[in-house]
Amino acid sequence: MNRRHHAITVQQASQEAPTLARLTALTRESSERLRAVEVLIPPLLRPALQAGPIEGDSWCLLVRGNAAAAKLRQLLPALQAHLRSRGWEVNSIRLKIHS
């Protein structure tokens, strides 16, 4: 089948390409991790966060602004413990500040 003339969904493409499938799975898992720890994050701080990349046992959170990152640093041990209690092997959470 000549794919140049047939549109496929992202889901179909990810199923047929192992690398894309792995990236899709990591993106989904990162979003699930953020949803899992949201209960521990003050409501006013939540909009400043985005799920970032997973690299082995390290997870990255994208944080909007230095003030939000400073507050979040105080919560990191609790976030890690909560994720471990839910079955994720997270030995470190990195914060990356973005605008």
Side-chain angles (χ1 to χ4, degrees):
M1 175 199 263
N2 186 350
R3 293 218 181 236
R4 281 193 283 176
H5 301 297
H6 301 306
I8 62 172
T9 66
V10 172
Q11 183 178 9
Q12 288 171 320
S14 70
Q15 290 171 348
E16 295 177 17
T19 302
L20 186 55
R22 178 75 179 134
L23 288 174
T24 301
L26 286 172
T27 300
R28 186 179 313 111
E29 181 179 332
S30 185
S31 295
E32 289 171 0
R33 289 179 181 192
L34 182 56
R35 279 192 301 278
V37 297
E38 276 182 337
V39 297
L40 302 174
I41 299 169
L44 293 175
L45 189 57
R46 293 175 193 165
L49 301 177
Q50 284 183 288
I54 298 171
E55 296 172 357
D57 62 357
S58 178
W59 180 43
C60 180
L61 279 172
L62 306 175
V63 185
R64 193 173 310 119
N66 289 324
K71 178 62 180 169
L72 197 58
R73 276 187 196 92
Q74 298 172 357
L75 300 174
L76 291 180
L79 299 181
Q80 284 178 252
H82 186 71
L83 289 169
R84 282 195 210 109
S85 75
R86 307 258 329 241
W88 282 296
E89 192 58 40
V90 179
N91 290 323
S92 69
I93 299 175
R94 295 179 297 112
L95 301 179
K96 183 172 181 178
I97 299 170
H98 70 97
S99 30

